[in-house]
Amino acid sequence: MLREEAPSAPPKNIVASGRTNQSIMVQWQPPPEAELNGVLRGYVLSGRVQQRSGSTVARRFSSLVQQRSGILEHGSNSREVLYRSGALVVRKLSGLTVARHYGTQVPRWSGGGLHRRQALGVFSPPLSEYTAAGRLMLREEAPSAPPKNIVASGRTNQSIMVQWQPPPEAELNGVLRGYVLSGRVQQRSGSTVARRFSSLVQQRSGILEHGSNSREVRYRQMDQRAREDCFPAHRDTDRRNCAPSVPATSRLEFHQGCRTAPCNPHKYRLAGLPGEYQLKNITSPEINYCLIGDLIIWTQYEIQVAAYTGAGLGVFSPPLSEYTLQGVPTAPPQNADAKALNSTTVKFTWNPPPQQFINGINQGYKLLAWPERSPEAVTIVTITPDFHGARHVGYISGLRKFTWYLTSVLCFTTPGDGPNSPPQMVQTHEDKPGPVGHLSFTEILDTSLRVSWLEPVDKNGMIIGYLVSWEVQGNDSSRVLRTLANTTLEYKVTGLTSLTTYTLEVAAITEAGTGTVTSSTISSGVPPELPGSPSNLVISKISPRSATLKFRAGDEGKTSISKWIVEGQVGSISEDEEWRVLYEKENEPDAQVLEIPNLTPFTHYRFRMRQLNIVGSSPVSQPSRVIQTLQAPPDVPPGSVTVRTASETSLWMRWVPLPDSEYNGNPESVGYRIKLRRADSQVEPRIHLVSDRLEREMTLEGLEEWTEYQLQIQAFNSIGPGPWSETVKGRTRESVPSGAPENVTAEAVSSTGILVSWGPVPEQEQNGHILGYKVLYKEKDSDSEPQVHLVKGNLTQSVLLRSLRRYILYQIQVLAFTRIGDGEPSSPPALERTQDDVPGPPVRLVFPDVHLTEVRVVWQPPVDPNGIIVGYQIAYCLNASDLKQFTTVEVDSNSQQFTVTGLSPESAYIFRISARTQQGWGLPEQAVVITTETRERPQPPRKLRVSHEEVHSRWLLLRWVPGADGSSPVRYFTLQTRELPNGDWRTHSSAIRPNSTSWEVERLKPFTSYKLRMMATNDIGDSAYSKETERSQLYKTMLCALLTVPDEPPVILNVKPSTTTSILVRWQAPRDESVNGVLVGYRLYYRELQYDNVPPESKAAANGSSAPADVTGAHAHIRIGLYCLMNRSKSTRDCHQARALGHGKLTDSEKPLFKTASSASSTEFELTQLNKYKRYEIVITAYNIIGESPPSTPVEVFVGEAAPSVAPQSIQVNTLSATQLEVLWEAPPVETQNGNIQGYKIHYWEQDSRNETEKVKILFLPETTVRLKNLTSYTTYLVKLSAFNAAGDGPLSEPRRGRTLQAAPSIPSFMTFSEVSSTTLNVSWGVPLSPNGVVEGYRVVYEPTAPIHGVTKVVTVDVRGNRQLWLKVRDLTKGVTYCFRVQAKTISYGPELEANITAGPAEGSPDSPKQISITKSSSALTIHWSAGDAGAGPVTGYVIEARSSDEGLWDAFVRHLPPSSTSHSISLDRLRQGVSYQFRVLAVNTDGYGEPSAPSAAMSAQLEAPFYEEWWFLVVVALCGVIFVLLVVFGLVLHGQNKKYKSYNTGKAISTVEETGPGLRPGPALEGLRYSDEDICNNYNGKALTDSGTLTEKPAAIAESEGTDSEGEDERPNNSFVNHYMSDPAYFGSWKRQHKGLKQTLAYGYEECAGAEPDAYYQTVVTTHSGGGAYTPTGQPDPGSRTPATGFSSFV
């Protein structure tokens, strides 16, 4: 007998059918007997579970079927196979999982048994691949377990959100069709009431809601067709029966006929009450949450959830209790009553509202009272609640007396106030009235007077009369009372005693009694007068808010003082500042001290007073001294505090800064402190400091994304902080999640699938509404980008990754995303390997060595090993045989080549190489080889072509015709690509199968030209490369390839409101290389954001105790719609799924709007017609002719606030004083204000020095006038204004000019002394640094610091004009210290600059020269001397002083003589004729002028007489004159004989010759000097001219110098030396008229005059005490030289 072999054919006619919900019946017939190859021993059944998608999981079963006495059994009785007649085998497979697809295979074995591998026959093909009956579905059952992880939380006061997770998959027992929610109301004690609801939960793009009134479930967006589809066979019948079968205890009944619809209605009703069930039909099991709405407020519900399949309803979960949220009370307190207790208090009593209408926890009651005619002035008092059944009592005090009030009571809970009880009228009781008004006296006589008054302002009841009384002042026994009617407002008092002072009192009367008395004193017979003004104001006890003012009262005006009025200047103290009333005190006629309250801290004040009597007001007192109140913390916080979202991590806070008057301290120390804390946290708040007191906004950085914060602000100064502002709330912008989902796990469920599960992102890290998740997965250690599986919605937290590679280790991460973008992926990545499977075919199957009878085959391991390769199988056979009998050889896994021998020459063989893993053999790789020795390389492919229709933006389809294989089959093709114009050839793919004639070339770049080429490879080697594709051919196809959507979006630079309904968007264009074509334009998408009003519960996590994220509500429509519209790369199916998870389609109002900027060069666009006070989100896309780019990052902006677009109008600048300007303007037009004007900014600066002097005054009030103070006097200012509102500053106006008035100048800039000798000096000064106007002159005052011989002489010299800045003084006393004071004058004199100087000689100066002598010649005088002691330093020169006989004052005559000089000549022409002169010499060194020498002898300046002055010359001239006269007379006689004699008058002859006598030379009027000295005027025997100055001399006992004006302005005294030289300009710098051509010698250098104007005008004043004179010459010194001194100093 031949040896048995394994059967070569599988069993046939295999049939499988589901027997029960856990068993399958499999039937088959034995294989053909010819192929048994031995004795049939039995069968092996192998199967595995199939997923619905077709992929398999690892679960297998196998059953060994043996034949024993006609019965094949395996295991137990339940696993038996019946063998019928050998023709049909039946096998029952039990213990299977319910409702699973199974595939089966039946092999057979022969006598070798299973322990011998070759004995097992071939498995039959899986039934699922050959027959529909092969894929079996077991019968469904109801789920055997309830849903798990059920969580319920109150969403609103009428809804509860319920979430759950599906039951374990193993216990579903079928296809999950949906869920049923069952619930009922629980009493707060724990007992339940009969109300029950149940909800069948399935999803079809809708939202499940429960109606409380109709007790039905409403389904949004379910149209009539959908309802008819649910009942195809019962459209006109009772649809209540259309429901799956469920237990009776679930209160649900299902129609069996609906299982295939699939129609799963849902119903619920009040338990225990009659009524029909309501139906609900949703047909998707994906929903695992439900929002139960229209519930009772603040009521506890018991909730259960069950899942169901087509077979019925599963087990309900254990009951879960949850409250709806609190609401406001819906009923007012009962039996409310109000009753007045006294004139200011009302008592309230009431009963609480019914408990069922409180709708929450009673937080207390509010008592309300408001005047009948002033409903806005509501007084509110809060009362804590008592136990519920008690009568409550409360009081409101501090009400107005005798006033009708409306009263009411309300109850409130945490969410808010309930309704008010019906208002009741109540009137407070009467009280005593206030004082009467305006008490006055008239008709005052000796024995009578009339007194009058006005009604009290505070009547506090019904006035029933007035009480008038009077008495002699200080004598109570003389008191007289009179009661008058309530209509009487005057009374005549009689019976008075003449000239007696009386006190009169008047008071009003009500039923409650006599009111406050108003009194005054009056003297009979003496009419009162206006009082006198107070005096001697003294301020003490200065505090931050008050000061004590002591004063002496003025004359009372023959009556008592009725009121004291204190006025003050506040802040800026000047004569121009206005006075305002600060305090009034009445009815204290004898007051001497007043405490002035309500002062502003750290403010300057100056007070004055007035006193009033019945006649009127007194004059104001003299102002007090200026005081400054002490500092105090600010009293108020900054106002108008608002918060806006700035970014994902920042808030923008804005406020109105404190006005200057509220600083209460040094402005430099004023700042702001901002307190910020999370609204949901009690941690220590963060504090931010703002040091700029004028700052009005701040961006708070470093916050958490999508978090609500509470903010407050306070002001502070150096004393302390002020109060906090009211709390404002702000939420940061939504951002990408900063955290990853938690608890990421991965579990391989098959060789191609991994189940990934995760938890939610921690709430504090969600940073917005989670729209979904992305699962990122890739092979571990792969450099490729991970693949992304998108999970829409934030409630699904698991996904099955399908179509994975087998037995590959995957790296898996999960991230959450919001509308802003993706969050952080989970870390570390989860690692999971798919299960192993049969391997793929080996690759690179080649035959490098081929001979006639043997070949060597080489292969590479499979690209997809799908497990651990444990071996290879080589099968081969002749290709010619019809019945291919393969010879198989197995090798181990380390072998990758095999040599086959014994082959037929020149024959074609088929080789199959397959690999094996633990799961079995994989598919073989097949190749044909010819046993020949004549092989060669193949020919390259031909006719490479690309069709225009098959070119896309990033891939194309290449077709070709294979070339000859060279007697060796082609094993694979290689494709290379080259970018044009300059790219290199790159291998794109080297694994193109040999039987392919086309290939998708992927990974191409848009807008790029390519060339392609290919080569073929066989066993011998590579072919040559094919011809390259033609450029002309690719150019046609490239037209489509080059145009794809842009890769990058534009970048939004900023979004700024331009008006209250428009915004300006600016952006940056994408990079040119990312445009992928020609950029056409941009689209701006925008939409309103609604999340500002989303309740905090919308952020709750899916697995938490609160409601899920708002993606389940209407807000999700917008977010998901925007996600779909802006993510163009996503499929339409994904967007539909996203909308389904959002419970509905997007309405037109929810879709983003867009505008198109159709220019590619555009970088800004204005969006108009937006809604005010809304927050908008904007994104931009770039587009070309193909489509749009991805959207830019969203940017939010608040619309409704924009800066004013126009500057203030009609600006005027008016001058008020020397330091103040008034600016007036009108507000911008209303249509350009773009909101409420919050204030103005006034920019002002001095003309021509803007950078150094510009200041900004901010007016935080919408006023239209301001005073600019503390300005520089007599200065032109430029002023610009801008208005600002909450959005920012408007444009600046055009500048306006204004000039302040003149004021007194500042002190001269400096004062110096020079040429100081024992009797003379020069004093010089500088112009004031702040002239504050036009300088009209200077005043120089000097006096000895100590009396001289008991007398102090004060000399005052007024120098007119602003050019002369020096003065020559010649009347000093040797060694005496003098005090000099200089002040400038504009409209008044400014402050004095003071300095002391001591007359010489100075210490260290030279001694006096010796041996002074003088000689005279016919034309000059010569002075001789010899040097004296040089002093502390060498002599640097000599000075000659001269004194004339008619003046008597020494003055410098010659300066700067060289130190070697011992003589000097003076021309007589420079001296005055007939005047005697004395001279003396002074030596000079670096320490100053030395002691003068002894005076020389007096020397006359008379010249010798010329010849024309001799007597004989006069006689000759007279005789010649007589002869000439005679000749003339004789001629006239002869001539007049023929003419009539004509007589003539000898009138006044007009002289044309300039008089040169002393004092007669005309000269310019010297307007620059005012000089006065009585002694000097007397010595000169005449008055000094007015324009020469005024000299005033006083003894020390006199406090002030007396300057006298010159009276004889038209008289010119001729005998005065001073006046002579003042009147004769020819003598400027000389004593005598100089001869023509005589050059004047410079006298002295003057540094101060260097660089002066060429036409500068200078004056010199020379004064003397002992009888000198003064003159002021005019002239122009040489540049760089000093002006010559007057008198003798100008001789040289």
Side-chain angles (χ1 to χ4, degrees), residues 992-1114:
I992 301 176
R993 298 184 65 84
N995 56 350
S996 301
T997 59
S998 64
W999 183 258
E1000 288 186 0
V1001 184
E1002 299 176 334
R1003 306 190 306 275
L1004 301 181
K1005 298 179 181 179
F1007 198 55
T1008 306
S1009 297
Y1010 288 88
K1011 280 192 173 184
L1012 310 176
R1013 68 182 184 182
M1014 296 182 68
M1015 71 176 180
T1017 302
N1018 63 6
D1019 296 337
I1020 302 302
D1022 299 332
S1023 71
Y1025 280 103
S1026 67
K1027 290 184 179 180
E1028 301 172 2
T1029 53
E1030 295 294 335
R1031 180 185 177 93
S1032 59
Q1033 179 190 14
L1034 277 185
Y1035 181 75
K1036 295 175 60 179
T1037 62
M1038 190 188 69
L1039 291 178
C1040 182
L1042 67 88
L1043 293 178
T1044 185
V1045 297
D1047 292 331
E1048 295 181 0
V1051 177
I1052 299 179
L1053 300 177
N1054 60 66
V1055 180
K1056 181 179 179 182
S1058 54
T1059 68
T1060 55
T1061 58
S1062 65
I1063 56 176
L1064 185 64
V1065 184
R1066 292 187 174 91
W1067 65 87
Q1068 178 180 325
R1071 295 180 298 127
D1072 293 340
E1073 55 268 26
S1074 70
V1075 173
N1076 298 333
V1078 179
L1079 184 62
V1080 177
Y1082 302 91
R1083 286 197 177 97
L1084 290 84
Y1085 292 86
Y1086 60 98
R1087 66 184 181 93
E1088 289 185 15
L1089 292 179
Q1090 306 292 335
Y1091 62 73
D1092 284 347
N1093 297 324
V1094 175
E1097 299 83 42
S1098 65
K1099 282 192 60 184
N1103 66 344
S1105 61
S1106 57
D1110 199 48
V1111 82
T1112 62

Side-chain angles (χ1 to χ4, degrees), residues 811-1048:
Q811 175 178 298
I812 302 171
Q813 295 175 287
V814 183
L815 62 83
F817 65 88
T818 64
R819 65 182 179 86
I820 304 299
D822 296 341
E824 293 291 327
S826 59
S827 182
L831 300 177
E832 182 68 9
R833 187 183 297 275
T834 51
Q835 296 178 0
D836 59 348
D837 206 340
V838 296
V843 296
R844 294 290 181 95
L845 182 61
V846 296
F847 298 84
D849 297 325
V850 179
H851 302 284
L852 293 176
T853 60
E854 70 177 25
V855 296
R856 184 167 64 91
V857 59
V858 178
W859 65 90
Q860 297 294 327
V863 175
D864 297 318
N866 301 338
I868 299 174
I869 302 296
V870 298
Y872 295 97
Q873 184 184 71
I874 301 95
Y876 58 94
C877 70
L878 282 172
N879 192 21
S881 62
D882 294 335
L883 181 60
K884 297 180 175 59
Q885 294 292 332
F886 282 90
T887 301
T888 60
V889 178
E890 293 186 10
V891 297
D892 59 31
S893 60
N894 296 324
S895 300
Q896 295 184 6
Q897 63 179 1
F898 186 77
T899 301
V900 180
T901 60
L903 303 179
S904 300
E906 301 293 340
S907 300
Y909 281 86
I910 297 175
F911 276 77
R912 292 179 178 175
I913 311 296
S914 58
R916 182 171 65 88
T917 64
Q918 295 293 340
Q919 299 299 326
W921 294 101
L923 296 175
E925 176 69 11
Q926 179 173 304
V928 177
V929 64
I930 301 174
T931 55
T932 182
E933 293 181 344
T934 58
R935 297 188 304 170
E936 59 184 14
R937 294 175 184 270
Q939 297 297 317
R942 299 178 292 113
K943 297 182 181 180
L944 273 68
R945 66 187 185 277
V946 179
S947 174
H948 173 73
E949 293 79 9
E950 295 170 338
V951 176
H952 302 274
S953 60
R954 301 180 188 274
W955 65 275
L956 55 82
L957 183 64
L958 176 66
R959 299 179 184 273
W960 66 89
V961 174
D965 60 5
S967 300
S968 178
V970 173
R971 304 308 178 191
Y972 57 89
F973 292 105
T974 300
L975 172 67
Q976 286 191 333
T977 62
R978 182 168 73 91
E979 293 185 18
L980 298 182
N982 300 318
D984 298 328
W985 286 103
R986 298 178 182 275
T987 299
H988 189 274
S989 177
S990 59
I992 301 176
R993 298 184 65 84
N995 56 350
S996 301
T997 59
S998 64
W999 183 258
E1000 288 186 0
V1001 184
E1002 299 176 334
R1003 306 190 306 275
L1004 301 181
K1005 298 179 181 179
F1007 198 55
T1008 306
S1009 297
Y1010 288 88
K1011 280 192 173 184
L1012 310 176
R1013 68 182 184 182
M1014 296 182 68
M1015 71 176 180
T1017 302
N1018 63 6
D1019 296 337
I1020 302 302
D1022 299 332
S1023 71
Y1025 280 103
S1026 67
K1027 290 184 179 180
E1028 301 172 2
T1029 53
E1030 295 294 335
R1031 180 185 177 93
S1032 59
Q1033 179 190 14
L1034 277 185
Y1035 181 75
K1036 295 175 60 179
T1037 62
M1038 190 188 69
L1039 291 178
C1040 182
L1042 67 88
L1043 293 178
T1044 185
V1045 297
D1047 292 331
E1048 295 181 0

Side-chain angles (χ1 to χ4, degrees), residues 1276-1347:
T1276 299
Y1277 281 85
L1278 295 179
V1279 181
K1280 284 186 176 183
L1281 277 80
S1282 66
F1284 65 85
N1285 57 17
D1289 299 342
L1292 286 168
S1293 66
E1294 291 297 320
R1296 297 292 190 273
R1297 298 176 184 270
R1299 188 173 189 176
T1300 52
L1301 299 178
Q1302 296 190 70
S1306 65
I1307 61 175
S1309 55
F1310 65 88
M1311 181 165 54
T1312 61
F1313 301 95
S1314 61
E1315 301 181 8
V1316 181
S1317 67
S1318 58
T1319 59
T1320 64
L1321 59 78
N1322 275 336
V1323 56
S1324 304
W1325 59 87
V1327 296
L1329 295 178
S1330 300
N1332 298 335
V1334 177
V1335 176
E1336 297 180 356
Y1338 298 91
R1339 172 171 289 175
V1340 181
V1341 179
Y1342 62 94
E1343 60 179 318
T1345 56

Side-chain angles (χ1 to χ4, degrees), residues 459-477:
K459 296 181 181 180
N460 301 336
M462 297 293 295
I463 302 297
I464 60 176
Y466 294 96
L467 178 65
V468 179
S469 65
W470 63 92
E471 63 182 22
V472 176
Q473 189 175 15
N475 186 2
D476 295 339
S477 61

Side-chain angles (χ1 to χ4, degrees), residues 150-153 162-163 186 301-304 317-322:
I150 301 173
V151 175
S153 62
V162 185
Q163 301 174 78
Q186 273 193 343
Y301 286 84
E302 185 180 86
I303 301 167
Q304 294 176 289
S317 64
L320 178 69
S321 297
E322 181 61 25

Side-chain angles (χ1 to χ4, degrees), residues 545 633-639 657-659 661-664 672 713-716 721-725:
R545 305 181 190 281
D635 295 325
V636 295
L658 291 184
S661 58
E662 298 292 347
Y663 289 164
N664 293 351
Y672 305 101
I713 186 172
Q714 68 176 181
F716 67 87
W724 288 103
S725 65

Side-chain angles (χ1 to χ4, degrees), residues 1101-1180:
N1103 66 344
S1105 61
S1106 57
D1110 199 48
V1111 82
T1112 62
H1115 298 296
H1117 299 183
I1118 301 176
R1119 294 183 177 86
I1120 297 175
L1122 185 66
Y1123 181 88
C1124 293
L1125 287 173
M1126 295 180 179
N1127 286 270
R1128 306 285 177 176
S1129 61
K1130 305 301 177 185
S1131 67
T1132 304
R1133 179 178 59 83
D1134 289 340
C1135 287
H1136 287 318
Q1137 291 178 359
R1139 289 170 184 158
L1141 291 176
H1143 292 256
K1145 298 180 180 179
L1146 290 174
T1147 65
D1148 292 339
S1149 62
E1150 294 166 345
K1151 295 178 180 178
L1153 304 175
F1154 72 91
K1155 297 288 184 182
T1156 301
S1158 56
S1159 173
S1161 60
S1162 299
T1163 57
E1164 64 179 34
F1165 191 87
E1166 185 173 16
L1167 299 176
T1168 59
Q1169 297 180 351
L1170 306 179
N1171 295 326
K1172 287 186 177 181
Y1173 311 117
K1174 297 290 184 180
R1175 185 171 292 278
Y1176 279 82
E1177 182 180 66
I1178 297 97
V1179 297
I1180 304 180

Side-chain angles (χ1 to χ4, degrees), residues 332-367:
Q334 306 293 303
N335 303 324
D337 187 29
K339 181 179 181 181
L341 293 183
N342 52 43
S343 61
T344 59
T345 303
V346 173
K347 177 183 178 182
F348 292 76
T349 57
W350 69 94
N351 290 330
Q355 184 68 45
Q356 65 270 26
F357 294 110
I358 295 181
N359 298 329
I361 299 175
N362 187 352
Q363 298 294 329
Y365 301 91
K366 293 182 180 179
L367 313 181

